[in-house]
Amino acid sequence: MHLRRCCWRRSGGAERNPAPDPYLVAADRLGVDPCKCLVFKDALTGMLSGRSAECRVVAVPNPRTDDVSVFASAADVVLGRLTDFDDVSPFFEIR
């Protein structure tokens, strides 16, 4: 499995979260199908944006997050912290 990273900053006519635009543009620039992308987010609107782009979503709550249970319906998995993430393969075997 090959992993690639993409950073993209919103500009022009792209819509903000929870529109799927940021993730659709990033997937297009990487030349991959959005369903092959992992989105790491710490906010519900970003998770909803990734979900609406048909990406796999990993919730990584920040220290100010009061109730992580709201992430359960928007994310494929909720991590305690980013360092808890160690394997991408389960995300792509589910679909």
Side-chain angles (χ1 to χ4, degrees):
M1 177 177 295
H2 298 285
L3 299 177
R4 292 182 244 171
R5 185 176 73 174
C6 179
C7 292
W8 177 74
R9 188 172 62 195
R10 184 181 75 84
S11 62
E15 295 294 324
R16 292 184 161 191
N17 291 342
D21 301 35
Y23 304 104
L24 295 175
V25 169
D28 182 63
R29 289 184 181 181
L30 288 169
V32 297
D33 191 311
C35 71
K36 300 286 185 189
C37 296
L38 282 177
V39 171
F40 291 82
K41 294 303 294 183
D42 68 347
L44 185 59
T45 55
M47 291 174 213
L48 295 173
S49 179
R51 174 69 71 210
S52 66
E54 297 185 12
C55 298
R56 303 300 250 157
V57 178
V58 179
V60 186
N62 67 54
R64 296 177 298 179
T65 304
D66 293 326
D67 183 9
V68 297
S69 66
V70 298
F71 296 161
S73 63
D76 293 291
V77 66
V78 179
L79 301 178
R81 59 182 163 261
L82 189 55
T83 55
D84 292 341
F85 181 81
D86 62 358
D87 187 14
V88 298
S89 57
F91 292 94
F92 299 107
E93 294 172 2
I94 296 170
R95 282 194 179 176

